[in-house]
Amino acid sequence: QVPLVESGGGLVQAGGSLRLSCAGSRSIFSGYGMGWYRQAPGKQRELVAYITRLGNSNYADSVKGRFTISRDGAKNTVYLQMNSLKPEDTGIYLCAGRLTPKTYAPGEYDYWGQGTQVTVSS
């Protein structure tokens, strides 16, 4: 198992921006999809954004228009650009990867990173 490594979290004032990075091996990055999840205090883990190997993306309703997921093949890295951050965006953000052309259950991934903390102050 090759781990995914998240970075870019930190403390930011409401209205500010952060860019999270998820770096992995080429084999994981070149799989069928990558997702960003977050675990907020007192809430269930939720899907924030997802991107397929073809570049198609999807977002949670709560972040549409504010967050952008992208990928850089040269760096084997997936990014989550977070703008207009709100206190409710606070949580641990985790990167996850899907490797195979199968039907996955919601929340099912082959690899997970350890997460990076994002804290948005009011």
Side-chain angles (χ1 to χ4, degrees):
Q1 294 180 330
V2 179
L4 299 168
V5 181
E6 303 96 335
S7 62
L11 175 64
V12 65
Q13 189 76 22
S17 299
L18 287 172
R19 188 178 72 162
L20 306 183
S21 299
C22 174
S25 69
R26 169 143 292 279
S27 61
I28 296 177
F29 180 83
S30 300
Y32 287 85
M34 304 289 293
W36 281 102
Y37 278 75
R38 69 184 175 193
Q39 181 76 60
K43 297 182 179 180
Q44 297 182 358
R45 185 168 61 187
E46 63 177 343
L47 177 66
V48 176
Y50 183 81
I51 187 167
T52 71
R53 64 176 180 174
L54 300 179
N56 304 120
S57 59
N58 197 12
Y59 300 90
D61 288 341
S62 62
V63 307
K64 286 182 178 178
R66 300 189 297 119
F67 290 11
T68 302
I69 189 171
S70 61
R71 55 193 297 154
D72 186 338
K75 298 181 178 180
N76 298 331
T77 300
V78 177
Y79 301 97
L80 184 68
Q81 178 67 46
M82 305 185 294
N83 298 325
S84 301
L85 283 162
K86 305 174 181 179
E88 50 262 46
D89 293 319
T90 293
I92 300 173
Y93 284 71
L94 305 102
C95 181
R98 289 171 171 171
L99 300 182
T100 65
K102 73 169 189 177
T103 299
Y104 287 84
E108 181 186 6
Y109 291 81
D110 295 301
Y111 294 95
W112 289 87
Q114 294 299 305
T116 185
Q117 178 69 43
V118 172
T119 303
V120 184
S121 64
S122 60

